[in-house]
Amino acid sequence: MILRPFDSKYDNPAIIEEILSYSAAGTEDSAPSVILMQYNELTDQDLFIGSDNGVILGIAGVRYLSDGDGEIAHLAVVPEARKKGHGREIIELLMSMYGLPGLLVTAGEDISAFFEKCGFSNQGGGKWLKK
């Protein structure tokens, strides 16, 4: 898998918006088009695309925290690519390729087992941390 920053000149916004609608992490309730616009405009966060042979498998949106860690604002894997380790791979690539010493995520009960399997520790209140 290749993980790279979203590029509005290269990536089809409609496809990215659809994938954002599958997001399993984060607290955003905004429409995918609004979320994508925010990633284009704000400097404290980035949207990353995970792909293999040009096929987008998933995305991750990260906010940069003042302590150097990142917070996963959005994480989504396309339905046909789920249960194949792509979400875990996106998390690992985020930490290694982009120098994030830790990742924080807010997740509901329905997805918390995934983050636990990825090495996150429960911080209480729906917050999970991986160092």
Side-chain angles (χ1 to χ4, degrees), residues 6 18 20 27 40 70-71 76 85 101 111 115 127:
F6 168 76
E18 180 181 348
L20 274 169
T27 57
N40 281 324
E71 178 180 14
I111 194 70
F115 288 106
K127 301 271 186 197

Side-chain angles (χ1 to χ4, degrees), residues 38-87:
Q38 291 171 344
Y39 280 113
N40 281 324
E41 294 176 355
L42 301 176
T43 59
D44 66 339
Q45 59 188 10
D46 284 312
L47 184 64
F48 296 94
I49 309 296
S51 63
D52 188 25
N53 292 321
V55 177
I56 296 175
L57 301 174
I59 60 160
V62 177
R63 288 187 191 104
Y64 302 105
L65 305 176
S66 60
D67 62 1
D69 287 347
E71 178 180 14
I72 296 175
H74 299 94
L75 179 65
V77 174
V78 297
E80 58 272 16
R82 291 184 186 158
K83 305 284 186 192
K84 297 178 182 173
H86 299 305

Side-chain angles (χ1 to χ4, degrees), residues 108-118 128:
E109 291 288 322
D110 57 327
I111 194 70
S112 60
F114 165 76
F115 288 106
E116 189 171 17
K117 287 178 186 175
C118 290
W128 293 79

